[in-house]
Amino acid sequence: MENGTHFRTCHLCEAMCGIAIEVSDGEIQSIKGDDNDPLSQGHICPKAVALKDLHEDPERLRKPVRRTADGWQEMEWDDALDFVANRLHRVRQEQGRNAIGVYLGNPNVHNHGALIANPSFLKALGTQNRFSATSNDQLPHMLANLELFGHQLMFPIPDIDRTDLFICIGANPMASNGSLMTVPDFRGRLKALQARGGQMIVIDPRRNETASHADAFHFIRPGTDALLLMAMVHTLFEEQLVSPGHAEQWLKDADLVRLAALPFSPEAVSDHTGIAADTIRDLARQFASTPKAVLYGRMGTSTQAHGGVATWLIYTLNILAGKLDVPGGVMFTQPAVDLVALAAMSGQTGHFDKRRSRVRQLPEFGGEYPASTMADEMLTPGDGQIRAFVTIAGNPVLSNPDGGRLERALADLDFMVSVDYYLNETTRHADVILPPTAALERSHYDLIFNLFSVRNSAKYSPALFERSDDARHDWEILLGLAHRLERLHKGGQLPLQTELGWRAFRQLGPDGILDLALRSGPYGTDLGPLRPVARNLADLITDLFPSGHPLHGLAELSPVYRRWSELPKGLSIRSLKACPSGVDLGPLQPCLPERLFTRDGRINLAPRRYLADLDRLHQLLASPVSEDLQLIGRRHVRSNNSWLHNSQRLVKGKDRCTLLIHPKDASRCGLKPGDMAEISSAVGRVVLPVDITEDVMSGVVSIPHGWGHTREGTGQSIAAAHAGASINDIIAADQVDRLSGTSVLNGQSVKVRLWRAERSRKRA
Ligand SMILES: Nc1nc2c(c(=O)[nH]1)N[C@H]1C(S)=C(S)[C@@H](COP(=O)(O)OP(=O)(O)OC[C@H]3O[C@@H](n4cnc5c(=O)[nH]c(N)nc54)[C@H](O)[C@@H]3O)O[C@H]1N2
Ligand SMILES: Nc1nc2c(c(=O)[nH]1)N[C@H]1C(S)=C(S)[C@@H](COP(=O)(O)OP(=O)(O)OC[C@H]3O[C@@H](n4cnc5c(=O)[nH]c(N)nc54)[C@H](O)[C@@H]3O)O[C@H]1N2
Ligand code: SF4
Ligand SMILES: [Mo]
């Protein structure tokens, strides 16, 4: 490791901030924002500095460990991989392939090695019991992409740098730094927006960190967004404000949307949403009459009982008001590794509800079942019951609804393996933990977040620290397991051609494949005489990917592809290495209709699935407004899901895992400042300090997720000293958005009361 400044991308959240890491004597001296990064221009948040803690954390696992009667025992890599492959193979032989379940957590998408290796591993597992964080997150967006644009990866992204009106509903980019909107320095971009006379409006059950910078803010009752959005659609039609602009020529069935919205007048939805009818009309008018405007929704509108319909309506409003595919509206990215085009070329634009889960009959999305039903599949006997489980970079005990039940299910398995470098609430149930290298020991390229970026750019970061001989990357672990499994399935031997493929894959590694993808992508370099060689190589390795995997398209791509012929050329790993702060590839560009993947080349505004789900919305409108307290989540800029709490500098200070409650509700529940509250639901209860505040809507309480480091036998002492409680211990897993299968993480009913032990302690 050389002394000096190393430039790379922070991989912790979606913002892709450029960082400058000062190293001397093999140690990190400082981590600062990289002013030359074309996207983030020097911005970072407090988490970036914690990359040092993560790297140096003595509690981070560095070698495989196996659970024994005398505790965890270290293993050599080959032994560990053989052992795991044999155990998984045995389960498959004895109980069938679906007896193995697998869960992929969020950090996989921040890791190009894992992204490239996972499909081969999943193929080798061969199970239909696949789960991921998607169904606790962005599934409704992917479904809307698929239904409206014909491709699950066609995410419309707010063109925030050129818009004049940013309506933010159910998102908190000031804390999250943006999601499905890679937007480093949201604050700075917002200031610029406001400086050019633009406005931001926030709609949320909590006056969140983003709201405090807004020009207008409206409370909304959790789970009622679809009603509000319907009323906005209603108003657009009623007041002849529908004006799709250049998208009009590809639209169909707008009239069905008009009819669907008829019963949802602003007056009709006002009580339920908690927003005055006049305010709703004004919102619709302001949105329609501002030429450059964006309506943006995220976790709050997606992970709730009507997440599917709410997300569809957000898309629909943008389209009806003429904000799609125009500067200042919602636009599509053109990343250097064009996963959209690659996937389309290999025939994989996505699918939904091709089959249903065994126990609850929930729909698959992209080959995954809703994570809310993971425990059911483990605990319910019968053919296809999950008896062995694999987690890769996930902590579902804390991140999944009803973590308590999932925990019991994990404890009851025949075998479990986790690819993870922490012994945490989930991995403590594993028989073997396989820890990968830490982020700074591997190269980095954002395959996914460039799809969401508010501006096109590209950046490659080589590994900063050399890994030890005894360390394995995620991709090596996954390929190691996949190769062993494939051999075992075939009775020990694979055909020569396949073995050659494996060797080529390992030799190329994710960086070799990335290089091919960059060179053959929109900003690549024509390979010239190397093209046939690359094609053979790509053909060889693509055998190892499932059919329909984006990499199958690799050999067909070309930087001189018609649509791309205008773009600047020359990207490869080598050329990117010469620009360690990254290269700017310009603002988002209109790309429709070429980039539409629907069969008829049009945008169907009223897909059957959404219309069929409107019965539930009518029922919501017809039922009385709930008197129960509604639970919502929250995020804090110094935390990241469940796994950064072992960094002292991030957890220090005021307790952040608290219950936010409105003064009226607090007094109704007999709570005063300084009290502890017991929050309970049908599935569990947690106890937390109360934070009484008018920033949360009356009738709503808020708890952040990712806490609850109270479980025995974990290996994160700092996290355990700042344990908090897990919101997912009281979120029921049987509540999903019935349309999409997405977990209802926001808007479940809970009961709150003074915690009795606290009461008695005070009396004493
Ligand atoms: N109630 C509620 N629940 C939620 C949410 C919410 O808002 N409210 N949010 C949901 C969302 S959006 C998400 S994305 C999920 C996240 O849920 P998960 O992905 O299940 O959980 P994380 O907390 O991100 O845990 C990541 C795990 O990966 C490990 N890890 C970190 N980096 C690496 C790596 O490079 N390689 C490997 N192999 N392991 C690594 C960490 O040690 C940790 O164990 O939580 C969801 N759960
Ligand atoms: N600091 C930090 N950054 C992160 C993460 C993190 O854990 N910490 N996680 C990353 C991940 S994995 C993701 S997916 C993103 C998420 O990014 P965001 O979606 O921006 O983050 P959240 O804080 O979950 O914002 C959800 C908002 O919805 C509101 N809300 C809850 N229920 C409702 C409702 O029914 N209707 C409406 N309108 N609003 C509602 C909440 O009050 C909250 O303000 O953040 C990413 N960035
Ligand atoms: S916002 Fe913070 S955590 Fe996210 S990429 Fe930037 S520095 Fe990293
Ligand atoms: Mo997420």
Side-chain angles (χ1 to χ4, degrees):
M1 164 47 0
E2 287 166 45
N3 289 343
T5 307
H6 297 259
F7 299 98
R8 57 187 290 129
T9 304
C10 173
H11 76 297
L12 292 173
C13 85
E14 303 186 26
M16 299 201 299
C17 296
I19 50 177
I21 307 183
E22 198 65 45
V23 174
S24 70
D25 303 325
E27 280 209 19
I28 297 173
Q29 304 302 327
S30 70
I31 300 180
K32 298 200 173 103
D34 177 1
D35 293 337
N36 295 321
D37 184 288
L39 189 65
S40 63
Q41 301 180 14
H43 174 266
I44 51 167
C45 86
K47 289 186 292 301
V49 189
L51 285 170
K52 174 178 162 73
D53 305 343
L54 200 57
H55 184 72
E56 295 170 358
D57 190 344
E59 292 180 324
R60 180 164 59 77
L61 300 175
R62 282 153 171 90
K63 284 202 73 172
V65 289
R66 175 181 173 185
R67 175 207 303 282
T68 71
D70 306 319
W72 294 98
Q73 222 164 52
E74 278 196 359
M75 294 178 92
E76 295 308 318
W77 274 105
D78 280 339
D79 298 340
L81 296 176
D82 286 342
F83 179 77
V84 170
N86 281 317
R87 289 295 301 266
L88 291 175
H89 180 64
R90 201 197 306 162
V91 171
R92 173 168 156 155
Q93 271 194 317
E94 289 171 0
Q95 308 182 61
R97 55 179 73 203
N98 292 333
I100 303 175
V102 55
Y103 171 84
L104 304 184
N106 166 282
N108 283 296
V109 287
H110 297 264
N111 179 338
H112 72 294
L115 281 171
I116 287 172
N118 267 328
S120 305
F121 177 64
L122 295 173
K123 183 176 180 229
L125 282 183
T127 177
Q128 294 189 341
N129 275 319
R130 289 169 43 197
F131 307 89
S132 82
T134 290
S135 46
N136 289 324
D137 192 345
Q138 81 289 1
L139 198 162
H141 297 257
M142 297 180 76
L143 182 60
N145 298 342
L146 182 63
E147 293 284 336
L148 271 64
F149 310 128
H151 195 311
Q152 61 177 350
L153 295 179
M154 282 291 284
F155 289 92
I157 308 301
D159 185 15
I160 193 165
D161 291 340
R162 288 180 289 189
T163 199
D164 295 322
L165 176 64
F166 184 71
I167 306 183
C168 181
I169 175 164
N172 189 8
M174 277 302 292
S176 68
N177 286 297
S179 183
L180 304 184
M181 170 173 70
T182 287
V183 59
D185 196 13
F186 176 77
R187 178 80 190 99
R189 292 173 197 267
L190 175 64
K191 270 190 186 158
L193 186 162
Q194 287 164 331
R196 60 179 179 264
Q199 291 200 349
M200 175 170 73
I201 301 174
V202 172
I203 304 167
D204 203 288
R206 176 168 81 90
R207 194 183 305 274
N208 62 19
E209 290 74 6
T210 306
S212 57
H213 299 278
D215 299 276
F217 170 73
H218 308 287
F219 277 129
I220 184 165
R221 212 165 263 126
T224 65
D225 302 84
L227 294 176
L228 165 73
L229 297 160
M230 269 297 193
M232 288 176 68
V233 173
H234 177 103
T235 306
L236 290 191
F237 279 107
E238 186 183 49
E239 304 190 4
Q240 277 101 47
L241 296 171
V242 171
S243 161
H246 89 144
E248 177 130 41
Q249 47 191 317
W250 319 302
L251 291 190
K252 63 178 195 197
D253 288 348
D255 211 46
L256 290 182
V257 180
R258 182 182 65 83
L259 291 174
L262 272 180
F264 300 94
S265 67
E267 287 71 20
V269 307
S270 174
D271 277 355
H272 282 80
T273 55
I275 305 180
D278 283 349
T279 307
I280 299 175
R281 284 190 209 282
D282 284 346
L283 268 172
R285 288 175 193 144
Q286 190 180 352
F287 181 57
S289 65
T290 310
K292 293 179 173 183
V294 174
L295 178 61
Y296 166 75
R298 215 26 291 275
M299 283 297 283
T301 45
S302 120
T303 52
Q304 53 138 301
H306 299 275
V309 162
T311 306
W312 162 58
L313 290 172
I314 289 172
Y315 282 41
T316 299
L317 277 160
N318 278 311
I319 296 170
L320 290 175
K323 317 306 182 198
L324 180 70
D325 198 40
V326 292
V330 288
M331 304 192 76
F332 299 99
T333 56
Q334 180 55 80
V337 176
D338 191 344
L339 290 183
V340 169
L342 278 167
M345 284 199 168
S346 44
Q348 190 49 276
T349 49
H351 49 80
F352 175 60
D353 204 8
K354 283 206 167 162
R355 51 173 198 267
R356 297 262 169 132
S357 65
R358 180 180 64 106
V359 180
R360 278 165 62 192
Q361 301 297 307
L362 294 174
E364 62 79 35
F365 184 89
E368 295 173 349
Y369 292 126
S372 272
T373 195
M374 223 148 57
D376 305 316
E377 295 296 336
M378 294 177 193
L379 292 169
T380 313
D383 201 21
Q385 180 186 8
I386 296 175
R387 298 307 307 151
F389 202 60
V390 185
T391 68
I392 306 170
N395 191 3
V397 167
L398 296 192
S399 66
N400 218 64
D402 204 350
R405 179 158 181 260
L406 180 62
E407 184 162 58
R408 293 191 292 280
L410 294 179
D412 194 43
L413 292 168
D414 296 336
F415 181 70
M416 173 170 162
V417 54
S418 292
V419 183
D420 204 296
Y421 42 55
Y422 276 120
L423 174 56
N424 63 20
E425 297 74 17
T426 296
T427 60
R428 76 188 179 109
H429 294 286
D431 294 282
V432 178
I433 306 175
L434 303 170
T437 49
L440 301 181
E441 295 165 333
R442 59 184 184 230
S443 59
H444 182 80
Y445 185 90
D446 271 298
L447 285 176
I448 298 296
F449 299 102
N450 279 300
L451 281 172
F452 307 156
S453 185
V454 297
R455 195 176 169 91
N456 295 315
S457 67
K459 178 166 166 175
Y460 171 84
S461 319
L464 201 169
F465 294 106
E466 212 166 301
R467 58 156 172 190
S468 74
D469 290 343
D470 218 10
R472 297 287 180 276
H473 298 305
D474 276 290
W475 69 269
E476 291 171 309
I477 298 169
L478 295 164
L479 288 193
L481 288 175
H483 190 192
R484 281 169 174 80
L485 284 169
E486 295 283 16
R487 276 191 179 161
L488 286 167
H489 300 336
K490 297 272 151 56
Q493 202 129 36
L494 291 171
L496 182 64
Q497 170 86 357
T498 314
E499 284 294 352
L500 280 176
W502 280 105
R503 189 174 303 172
F505 195 0
R506 266 198 305 265
Q507 211 96 60
L508 273 175
D511 282 5
I513 292 172
L514 172 64
D515 194 45
L516 268 177
L518 282 168
R519 287 174 191 269
S520 55
Y523 310 86
T525 321
D526 192 26
L527 298 175
L530 278 179
R531 175 155 286 278
V533 181
R535 179 179 298 260
N536 286 340
L537 205 57
D539 282 349
L540 199 59
I541 59 169
T542 50
D543 275 353
L544 311 178
F545 294 97
S547 64
H549 186 274
L551 281 179
H552 284 289
L554 200 59
E556 305 306 324
L557 274 192
S558 154
V560 293
Y561 186 43
R562 181 174 51 91
R563 204 179 55 238
W564 295 337
S565 54
E566 315 279 283
L567 298 174
K569 297 285 178 288
L571 288 195
S572 64
I573 289 198
R574 189 212 282 221
S575 63
L576 284 179
K577 271 186 177 166
C579 309
S581 292
V583 293
D584 183 33
L585 300 172
L588 308 187
Q589 303 286 352
C591 67
L592 298 187
E594 280 118 297
R595 217 57 169 160
L596 275 180
F597 294 89
T598 48
R599 236 173 263 154
D600 58 2
R602 302 179 72 187
I603 300 172
N604 178 5
L605 270 185
R608 173 180 57 78
R609 296 183 200 288
Y610 295 115
L611 298 182
D613 195 42
L614 293 181
D615 276 355
R616 286 199 303 132
L617 206 58
H618 285 284
Q619 279 164 27
L620 176 67
L621 197 58
S623 12
V625 175
S626 171
E627 298 274 311
D628 294 342
L629 286 172
Q630 307 285 304
L631 177 63
I632 61 167
R634 72 179 187 272
R635 283 175 159 77
H636 190 281
V637 72
R638 302 182 79 88
S639 177
N640 189 35
N641 298 327
S642 76
W643 68 280
L644 285 187
H645 299 152
N646 215 37
S647 157
Q648 183 58 38
R649 81 179 92 207
L650 289 185
V651 292
K652 70 177 184 213
K654 215 175 124 214
D655 194 352
R656 281 194 296 274
C657 189
T658 60
L659 177 80
L660 301 188
I661 186 166
H662 189 273
K664 268 196 231 155
D665 299 318
S667 85
R668 218 179 304 150
C669 302
L671 293 167
K672 295 184 306 305
D675 280 342
M676 299 290 282
E678 179 190 284
I679 310 102
S680 60
S681 71
V683 299
R685 53 169 217 127
V686 294
V687 174
L688 284 173
V690 296
D691 192 343
I692 300 173
T693 169
E694 292 191 348
D695 284 346
V696 69
M697 189 178 190
S698 169
V700 176
V701 290
S702 165
I703 301 176
H705 78 286
W707 299 88
H709 308 293
T710 45
R711 273 81 170 170
E712 300 275 298
T714 57
Q716 294 181 288
S717 52
I718 297 174
H722 301 263
S726 177
I727 184 177
N728 286 316
D729 285 348
I730 55 172
I731 291 189
D734 59 0
Q735 296 187 35
V736 296
D737 166 27
R738 281 234 291 283
L739 164 63
S740 66
T742 311
S743 304
V744 178
L745 303 176
N746 292 290
Q748 294 202 9
S749 295
V750 290
K751 294 199 161 53
V752 176
R753 62 173 186 178
L754 184 67
W755 186 46
R756 290 189 180 284
E758 175 72 0
R759 209 189 274 166
S760 49
R761 193 177 59 77
K762 267 198 201 147
R763 261 194 242 112

